[in-house]
Amino acid sequence: MSIRLRLTLLYSGLLALTLIILGVILIVTISRVTLSTVESALRDEAHSLVYSRSFQPDLDHDSPVVRQVAAPTTYIQARGPDGTILSRTSNLGNFDLPIDNTRLAAQNGAAWTDVAMTDNGRLFILNEPVMIRGQFVGVVQFARSLAEQDESLKTLRNTLLAGSVFVVALAFIAGWLLSGAALQPIQRITDTAHVIGAQHDFDRRVDYHGPPDEVGRLATTFNGMLNELQGAYRQTEQALQSQRRMVADASHELRTPLTTIRGNLGLLQRKPPISAEDQAAVMVDVVDETNRLIRLVNDLLVLARSDTGRPLRSEPIALAPLIDDVCRQAGLLGAERTIECEAVPAVTVAGDRDAIKQVLLILLDNALKFTPEGGTITIGAAVIDRMAALRVRDTGPGITPDALPHIFERFYRSDESRTGSGAGLGLAIAKELIEAQHGQISVESEVGKGSVFTATLPLA
């Protein structure tokens, strides 16, 4: 059963129950008012008759005798103390007004009323005791037919019933239409969710132009959730594309040294064997390609650990001794280039010492790779806005503007900026390590004049 039908049935049921209760209260109230009016009229007639000259006692029997009737619609009947009918009005014909003998026997002078059922409808009976000289000598019964009142109540009851059925039916239709209009945005949300699930179209939104009520807030919340899902879906797609691209690039990079190694091993297995000089050259190639594979696998492991979100250590690190250590290693690596180390401020950064050193070595290796012999590489640091900026400047060929936005992507290499034997993972690793320490890395370059790589880290 749909929520629309449940709401309509609930609304109609409550309305029907309300109408029934009001109808019952109205009918009971009118019935009681009618009986009270008839009783009051009969009491007035009884008082005027019993205490008037038209009602005289029979001296021989000390019994009341009815001589005339005040109203033609009133039936009057006199009974003796034992319940015997003494006299009655002619409009009764052969019908005897009933009486409760138990009340008659226990009479103490108080009047009482009864309602009797006849073939012609109900009769309301007022029983008025008659006391003569302090003695109970009988009772006079005054009755009026309630047929007219009952007919009016029946007509009212039927009218209320028919009106209630009509009103409930009309309310059901109105409730069905109103609930449909109220739930239409929810239906649109359902349809939108179905289309999104079927077509993966996260650009769709719920079109709602109503008031900011509960349904409006639901539509707004649903659209907000779609925005979040759209962003997450795009990030997931980008991550999957990056992973696929990385797997494809890694496969390509691994295939080349493996193919070289397999070819060299095939040369070593030749019969007759190759010369000793060729064997030595083949072994050198195998060792070089093996070292290349080891470096590539290590780089991939670093990136994989970075992708898992594994946090790096964060501890105070004195910047000057760390850069001095890197400068000494750089002097050994680039003997054909001039390595200049600028004065480093005595500051302390928050980060991982090994990760920072690895970033500097990656930047130095990149600078050594593209700086020609006789060129200059400068290492320095400065404090800018509570951040330590580590700089590595080279005098290489520079990077073209088209390549700058992609320089930190994995496996990216351009003819102008990356023509070495690397796999294109070094700068991507440096970027991941710096960002894992809440820092940033950037590059400025001018073709023909060199490049400046800057890594910023928060001060401790």
Side-chain angles (χ1 to χ4, degrees):
M1 184 183 296
S2 65
I3 187 173
R4 181 182 183 184
L5 182 57
R6 289 202 301 270
L7 288 174
T8 305
L9 289 177
L10 178 61
Y11 167 75
S12 302
L14 290 176
L15 179 60
L17 181 61
T18 303
L19 291 176
I20 290 173
I21 293 175
L22 291 177
V24 170
I25 293 175
L26 180 61
I27 291 175
V28 170
T29 302
I30 293 176
S31 178
R32 289 184 177 180
V33 170
T34 300
L35 291 179
S36 177
T37 302
V38 173
E39 181 181 359
S40 178
L42 289 180
R43 287 186 183 275
D44 291 341
E45 290 188 16
H47 185 272
S48 63
L49 287 175
V50 172
Y51 298 101
S52 67
R53 295 182 178 272
S54 60
F55 183 80
Q56 298 293 335
D58 188 337
L59 297 177
D60 295 333
H61 300 91
D62 285 342
S63 300
V65 177
V66 177
R67 299 186 182 277
Q68 66 180 33
V69 179
T73 57
T74 302
Y75 306 98
I76 304 177
Q77 178 177 275
R79 290 178 180 268
D82 57 354
T84 305
I85 297 176
L86 302 178
S87 63
R88 58 185 176 182
T89 56
S90 59
N91 56 0
L92 277 172
N94 295 326
F95 180 78
D96 296 336
L97 296 177
I99 193 169
D100 187 355
N101 293 323
T102 304
R103 297 286 297 271
L104 182 63
Q107 184 53 235
N108 56 3
W112 76 94
T113 60
D114 289 317
V115 177
M117 295 298 301
T118 69
D119 294 338
N120 296 323
R122 295 189 304 162
L123 283 176
F124 184 83
I125 304 172
L126 173 64
N127 301 281
E128 184 72 32
V130 180
M131 310 295 292
I132 298 179
R133 292 190 291 272
Q135 288 293 113
F136 174 62
V137 298
V139 63
V140 179
Q141 295 177 286
F142 298 85
R144 278 192 182 181
S145 175
L146 297 176
E148 184 178 352
Q149 289 82 356
D150 289 344
E151 188 65 26
S152 299
L153 287 176
K154 182 179 179 181
T155 302
L156 176 62
R157 184 169 57 251
N158 293 336
T159 303
L160 289 176
L161 180 60
S164 298
V165 171
F166 175 77
V167 170
V168 170
L170 186 63
F172 183 89
I173 296 174
W176 178 263
L177 296 176
L178 290 175
S179 60
L183 296 175
Q184 188 176 7
I186 298 179
Q187 183 61 41
R188 286 201 295 268
I189 292 175
T190 303
D191 296 339
T192 302
H194 178 74
V195 172
I196 291 173
Q199 302 179 1
H200 298 281
D201 183 10
F202 291 98
D203 292 328
R204 294 181 67 93
R205 295 293 181 270
V206 177
D207 186 16
Y208 180 78
H209 302 288
D213 52 9
E214 289 81 359
V215 178
R217 290 196 295 271
L218 175 62
T220 302
T221 303
F222 187 78
N223 287 334
M225 182 187 66
L226 288 178
N227 290 333
E228 297 294 332
L229 286 176
Q230 184 180 24
Y233 182 78
R234 288 178 177 174
Q235 290 179 358
T236 303
E237 283 293 318
Q238 292 174 358
L240 289 176
Q241 291 177 2
S242 299
Q243 291 294 333
R244 287 192 290 265
R245 187 169 59 250
M246 179 178 177
V247 171
D249 292 341
S251 301
H252 174 75
E253 294 294 335
L254 290 171
R255 184 172 61 248
T256 301
L258 288 175
T259 302
T260 303
I261 292 173
R262 185 181 62 182
N264 288 330
L265 292 176
L267 290 176
L268 294 176
Q269 292 177 336
R270 287 181 59 179
K271 298 295 183 178
I274 59 178
S275 63
E277 293 180 357
D278 291 338
Q279 289 181 2
V282 167
M283 293 302 297
V284 170
D285 288 343
V286 170
V287 171
D288 290 342
E289 294 299 327
T290 302
N291 291 331
R292 180 181 173 187
L293 281 175
I294 292 174
R295 289 194 302 271
L296 181 59
V297 171
N298 288 335
D299 290 344
L300 291 174
L301 288 176
V302 172
L303 290 174
R305 281 194 293 267
S306 176
D307 289 339
T308 60
R310 185 181 301 175
L312 297 175
R313 292 175 298 176
S314 181
E315 57 186 4
I317 301 168
L319 195 58
L322 176 62
I323 293 183
D324 290 341
D325 188 16
V326 172
C327 285
R328 283 194 300 271
Q329 293 188 21
L332 298 175
L333 294 174
E336 298 84 2
R337 288 93 172 165
T338 302
I339 307 296
E340 295 182 355
C341 294
E342 298 177 347
V344 178
V347 295
T348 303
V349 297
D352 186 301
R353 179 182 178 85
D354 293 337
I356 297 174
K357 185 175 181 180
Q358 184 176 358
V359 169
L360 290 174
L361 290 176
I362 289 174
L363 297 180
L364 277 172
D365 180 69
N366 186 74
L368 290 171
K369 201 179 292 183
F370 302 114
T371 300
E373 293 185 6
T376 302
I377 299 173
T378 305
I379 305 173
V383 176
I384 303 173
D385 297 333
R386 295 292 301 169
M387 299 287 287
L390 313 181
R391 295 192 183 95
V392 176
R393 184 191 305 273
D394 63 56
T395 55
I399 305 171
T400 62
D402 293 339
L404 278 177
H406 309 285
I407 198 69
F408 294 105
E409 293 180 3
R410 300 176 184 182
F411 295 104
Y412 178 80
R413 286 179 295 185
S414 65
D415 294 339
E416 294 83 5
S417 61
R418 291 186 170 194
T419 56
S421 60
L425 293 176
L427 294 179
I429 293 175
K431 180 176 182 294
E432 296 286 348
L433 292 177
I434 287 296
E435 290 181 350
Q437 300 175 83
H438 309 289
Q440 292 181 346
I441 189 169
S442 60
V443 59
E444 297 178 1
S445 182
E446 187 175 350
V447 177
K449 294 185 178 181
S451 305
V452 180
F453 287 84
T454 304
T456 59
L457 291 170
L459 295 179

